[in-house]
């Protein structure tokens, strides 16, 4: 099978790495990719938001499966254009991707499906915003209705900060605060059958001990030793399957990756948000643990044949990923700094630890930073403590001027 992956972040590097290890994949392409992905896939330039351009590239390459990584191309309808060209595509239609593209649409789907979530108001005027903030009180949870690359949510005790964020959005969802730990659970679906993956937990705040501003994610780990063993089954029954069934009932079937961001509250599981694609950085740890070859599962989603596949197989190993971010991230990051130490990790830490590239590019013989989150250092081990030690040992070999990372990824879970 010839596979084309669309995107250029660490999520796409994780996908490409897994696909490159799949014996059924005879050719692997990525567009536009990054410096790390170039080591496992042939790179091609493309405007990832231009569905016709993506479909043309897939046709020219003879791709038999296209995997759309990021949310923006999905919401823009790139998967529709690829399917219209007669090529199987992993990823929801533009209409179904509104599950991530619009918080208000997602809330409406959840209401129709009876999915447990936070009570919320959709606001478009200052008066509605003030009424909603007053109704819920602190801590305030304010979400931009549209795509915001993981940075459209503000959680604060400061009503003025909450109001300022709300007023800066065209349309905003204000909702009750959900207590309890957060869990990310991915499921691969073809619009009818739903295959849950292993749960993971990510770390959204920029600094240790969950301090600092929200980011796209500074690290993740899997499995979750503290979670109820019945969690996946419960979420399948109460969240994932009802959502897929509701979207099919509405005439907007969802195929691809359904990502449920969950809060394990004192009153049970509640959905914080849905995403329409693999999450970053959770994908890095979930795919590190997946034993089943990836391409056939993604093709089963694209072709509507997931019910014919055997159950997914998982490694017993734990996995931890630590994000190395640019100077000033999540503010405007500094780019163009040389990255050193990548060869040292490959020489000394493989195969248990490896580096997945996010914001990188090649300049001559050097690899330089080209984004906010630059690298995801990922490691596996017999347990979380072992995986964590390997990840941080490898991360310490990387040299990137002004960069920062969290030192507490998976620490509490590893200590039990």
């Amino acid at each position: 099978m010839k596979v084309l992956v669309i995107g250029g972040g660490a999520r796409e590097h994780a996908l490409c790495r897994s696909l490159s290890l799949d014996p059924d994949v005879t050719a692997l392409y990525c567009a536009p990719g990054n410096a790390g992905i170039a080591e496992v896939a042939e790179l091609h330039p493309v405007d990832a938001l231009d569905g016709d351009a993506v479909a043309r590239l897939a046709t020219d390459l003879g791709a038999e499966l296209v995997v759309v990584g990021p949310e923006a191309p999905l919401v823009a309808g790139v998967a529709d254009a690829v399917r219209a060209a007669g090529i199987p595509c992993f990823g929801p239609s533009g209409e179904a991707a509104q599950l991530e593209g619009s918080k208000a649409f997602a809330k409406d789907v959840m209401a129709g499906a009876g999915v447990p979530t936070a009570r919320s108001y959709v606001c478009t005027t200052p008066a509605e915003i003030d009424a909603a903030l007053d109704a819920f009180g602190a801590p305030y949870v304010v979400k931009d209705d549209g795509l915001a690359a993981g940075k459209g949510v503000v959680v604060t005790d400061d009503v003025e900060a909450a109001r300022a964020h709300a007023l800066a959005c065209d349309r905003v969802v204000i909702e009750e605060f959900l207590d309890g730990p957060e869990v990310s659970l991915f499921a691969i679906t073809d619009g009818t059958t739903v295959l849950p993956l292993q749960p993971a937990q990510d770390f959204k705040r920029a600094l240790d001990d969950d301090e600092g501003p929200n980011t796209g994610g500074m690290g993740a780990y899997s499995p979750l030793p503290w979670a109820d063993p019945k969690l996946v089954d419960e979420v399948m029954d109460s969240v994932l399957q009802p959502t897929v069934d509701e979207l099919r009932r509405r005439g907007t079937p969802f195929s691809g990756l359904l990502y449920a961001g969950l809060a394990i509250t004192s009153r049970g599981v509640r959905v914080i948000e849905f995403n329409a694609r693999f999450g970053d950085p959770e994908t890095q740890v979930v795919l590190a643990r997946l034993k089943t070859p990836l391409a056939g599962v993604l093709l089963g989603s694209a072709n509507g044949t997931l019910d014919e596949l055997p159950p997914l197989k998982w490694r017993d190993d734990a996995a931890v990923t630590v994000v190395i971010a640019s100077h000033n991230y999540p503010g405007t990051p500094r780019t163009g700094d040389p990255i050193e130490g990548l060869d040292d990790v490959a020489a000394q830490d493989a195969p248990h630890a490896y580096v997945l590239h996010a914001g990188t590019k090649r300049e001559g013989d050097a690899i330089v930073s080209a984004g906010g989150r630059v690298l995801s250092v990922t490691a596996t081990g017999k347990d979380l403590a072992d995986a964590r030690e390997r990840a941080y040992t490898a991360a310490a070999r990387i040299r990137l001027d002004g960069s920062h990372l969290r030192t507490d990824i998976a620490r509490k879970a590893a200590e039990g």
Side-chain angles (χ1 to χ4, degrees), residues 273-343:
E273 64 176 354
F274 282 125
N275 291 326
R277 39 75 196 178
F278 279 102
D280 183 344
E282 300 98 318
T283 302
Q284 289 85 302
V285 292
V286 172
L287 291 185
R289 299 186 58 223
L290 180 63
K291 206 170 182 178
T292 301
L294 184 61
V297 184
L298 302 186
L299 186 64
S301 164
N303 286 340
T305 55
L306 282 183
D307 61 335
E308 300 170 16
L309 297 183
L312 297 177
K313 292 182 179 173
W314 297 92
R315 297 184 177 89
D316 293 331
D317 287 2
V320 171
T321 194
V322 177
V323 171
I324 297 177
S326 292
H327 175 74
N328 201 44
Y329 178 80
T332 303
R334 192 174 80 204
T335 59
D337 289 311
I339 302 165
E340 298 176 332
L342 295 169
D343 291 341

Side-chain angles (χ1 to χ4, degrees), residues 71-82:
E71 60 273 24
L74 291 168
V75 172
V78 167
D80 301 277
V82 172

Side-chain angles (χ1 to χ4, degrees), residues 236-259:
M236 265 292 290
D237 293 343
S238 66
V239 175
L240 298 170
Q241 192 72 56
T243 300
V244 169
D245 292 346
E246 173 68 11
L247 284 162
R248 188 175 67 252
R249 186 187 69 75
R250 290 175 177 227
T252 53
F254 186 106
S255 73
L257 195 290
L258 178 58
Y259 165 153

Side-chain angles (χ1 to χ4, degrees), residues 37-311:
I37 295 173
E39 296 175 13
V40 293
E42 183 179 300
L43 302 192
H44 291 266
V46 79
D47 177 355
L49 296 175
D50 184 338
D52 292 338
V54 172
R56 272 197 307 276
L57 175 63
T59 302
D60 291 347
L61 293 172
E64 294 153 290
L65 173 66
V66 175
V67 179
V68 182
E71 60 273 24
L74 291 168
V75 172
V78 167
D80 301 277
V82 172
R83 280 191 276 268
I87 302 169
C89 186
F90 180 80
S93 67
E95 210 174 345
Q98 285 301 311
L99 202 61
E100 176 167 5
S102 168
K103 301 285 191 293
F105 176 76
K107 287 290 187 183
D108 190 57
V109 170
M110 284 187 263
V115 167
T117 186
R119 292 180 300 121
S120 63
Y121 295 103
V122 179
C123 307
T124 55
T125 69
E128 289 173 349
I129 287 165
D130 287 341
L133 293 173
D134 192 46
F136 288 130
Y140 304 98
V141 181
V142 184
K143 299 181 175 181
D144 190 333
D145 180 52
L147 288 180
K151 295 186 273 290
V153 179
V154 166
V155 181
T156 178
D157 288 321
D158 182 344
V159 68
E160 291 308 322
R163 181 180 288 113
H165 181 64
L167 290 170
C169 305
D170 287 336
R171 188 158 81 146
V172 69
V173 175
I174 296 174
E175 63 183 39
E176 67 176 328
F177 177 76
L178 297 174
D179 64 334
E182 295 185 11
V183 172
S184 300
L185 185 60
F186 302 162
I188 292 172
T189 178
D190 56 12
T192 303
T193 301
V194 181
L195 286 185
L197 305 185
Q198 289 291 310
Q201 186 173 56
D202 77 331
F203 294 75
K204 283 277 189 278
R205 299 283 185 168
L207 308 176
D208 283 6
D209 301 317
D210 292 329
E211 298 286 335
N214 259 349
T215 71
M218 293 298 293
Y221 69 93
S222 180
L224 313 182
W226 49 268
D228 187 326
K230 300 190 290 291
L231 175 66
V232 173
D233 290 340
E234 181 187 340
V235 175
M236 265 292 290
D237 293 343
S238 66
V239 175
L240 298 170
Q241 192 72 56
T243 300
V244 169
D245 292 346
E246 173 68 11
L247 284 162
R248 188 175 67 252
R249 186 187 69 75
R250 290 175 177 227
T252 53
F254 186 106
S255 73
L257 195 290
L258 178 58
Y259 165 153
L262 308 164
I264 314 300
T265 77
S266 52
R267 293 160 304 164
V269 173
R270 298 286 185 273
V271 175
I272 300 168
E273 64 176 354
F274 282 125
N275 291 326
R277 39 75 196 178
F278 279 102
D280 183 344
E282 300 98 318
T283 302
Q284 289 85 302
V285 292
V286 172
L287 291 185
R289 299 186 58 223
L290 180 63
K291 206 170 182 178
T292 301
L294 184 61
V297 184
L298 302 186
L299 186 64
S301 164
N303 286 340
T305 55
L306 282 183
D307 61 335
E308 300 170 16
L309 297 183

